[in-house]
Amino acid sequence: MAAIFLVTGCTGSPVPIASGPPSTHRLVAPPTIANTLTVQGVEDGRTVLLSDGTRIRIAGLAAPEECWAKAATAFAKAFLLDKSVKVDPGDPAVVDEAPLWLEDGTEYALFAVSQGVLRGDSPHDPAFQEAEVAATKSGLGLWGDPCRGQAKPPATTGQPQPPVVTAPSPVPTTTVPAVFGCAVSYRVTHRWNIGYNADVTITNTGNTPISGWTLRWTFTGGQVVTDMWNATSKQSGAEVSATNVSYTANIPVGGKQVVGYTGSYRAYNPAPAAFSLNDHPCQIR
């Protein structure tokens, strides 16, 4: 099953990039919803303050996992803060919870789940189930390292046992040299008119952990990075660099880290042809 992402073309009509079996879930805000507001504050990955003074918890999202809470808040700020949104008052019995749609009609809760930012809280909704399964298989967000879908790293239980000391037999020792290796996959997840969102997934293919990194690439279509999460961006002309933030600095052997960004382009939007990590060329996947 594939996660569902929405894309808005020049006509403004949302069409799916990829879709699974039909779902009854409302992916686009119904036209009857007229209350468009502005997000004036973000408390966490699913709680926002609106321009009419209300504080809502976005329906369809579970509480942020401790391991990925900072990233979930950064993601919400990137897509919601100071942005116009549509809000459905929903069930009057649940006064502090309501569905929320982005200005282009994308349901924010489903979008966040599809990117691995938060777990879904709609266990009987096929769209949320498909989005979470796809994010888990791809190792996105909290489903990748270091969280692996857990609220916090597993704690060691029980008392440590004293080591058994034995006289070792003399054996020849060999030292395996450290080998740095990386692979990068690039994917546009959402696009509209002359703007888009993209994920850049870094995989550590070497035999030693990566502690601190800078990813570099060059645009060829006049693209400009306007926002970035899970890394700090810097752009000079066509040259772009993305440097880890505190909670994304470490990539274990075989582990992945996803960098997401929002960008703009002129007439066309080609993918970068090459990436380097800490000045080492990376394989393109």
Side-chain angles (χ1 to χ4, degrees), residues 235-275:
Q235 183 168 357
S236 176
E239 305 294 326
V240 179
S241 66
T243 301
N244 69 269
V245 290
S246 60
Y247 54 85
T248 63
N250 299 316
I251 308 178
V253 175
K256 296 181 180 181
Q257 180 58 59
V258 179
V259 176
Y261 77 90
T262 300
S264 63
Y265 63 95
R266 296 172 185 170
Y268 67 108
N269 185 22
F275 294 87

Side-chain angles (χ1 to χ4, degrees), residues 37-41 43 48-56:
L37 302 169
T38 301
V39 175
Q40 294 187 335
E43 292 187 5
V48 297
L49 303 175
L50 300 175
S51 53
D52 64 353
T54 58
R55 172 184 179 274
I56 67 163

Side-chain angles (χ1 to χ4, degrees), residues 164-281:
V164 177
V165 179
T166 59
S169 301
V171 294
T173 59
T174 58
T175 301
V176 178
V179 176
F180 187 97
C182 58
V184 171
S185 63
Y186 180 88
R187 183 170 63 103
V188 173
T189 61
H190 194 72
R191 68 170 66 84
W192 60 94
N193 294 332
I194 56 172
Y196 67 101
N197 296 329
D199 282 347
V200 185
T201 302
I202 306 166
T203 302
N204 181 358
T205 60
N207 66 359
T208 183
I210 297 173
S211 180
W213 49 266
T214 296
L215 181 69
R216 303 180 192 277
W217 69 86
T218 301
F219 284 133
T220 59
Q223 299 100 319
V224 176
V225 174
T226 58
D227 202 355
M228 183 173 285
W229 50 98
N230 295 343
T232 301
S233 67
K234 183 177 180 182
Q235 183 168 357
S236 176
E239 305 294 326
V240 179
S241 66
T243 301
N244 69 269
V245 290
S246 60
Y247 54 85
T248 63
N250 299 316
I251 308 178
V253 175
K256 296 181 180 181
Q257 180 58 59
V258 179
V259 176
Y261 77 90
T262 300
S264 63
Y265 63 95
R266 296 172 185 170
Y268 67 108
N269 185 22
F275 294 87
S276 68
L277 190 70
N278 292 352
D279 297 323
H280 294 270

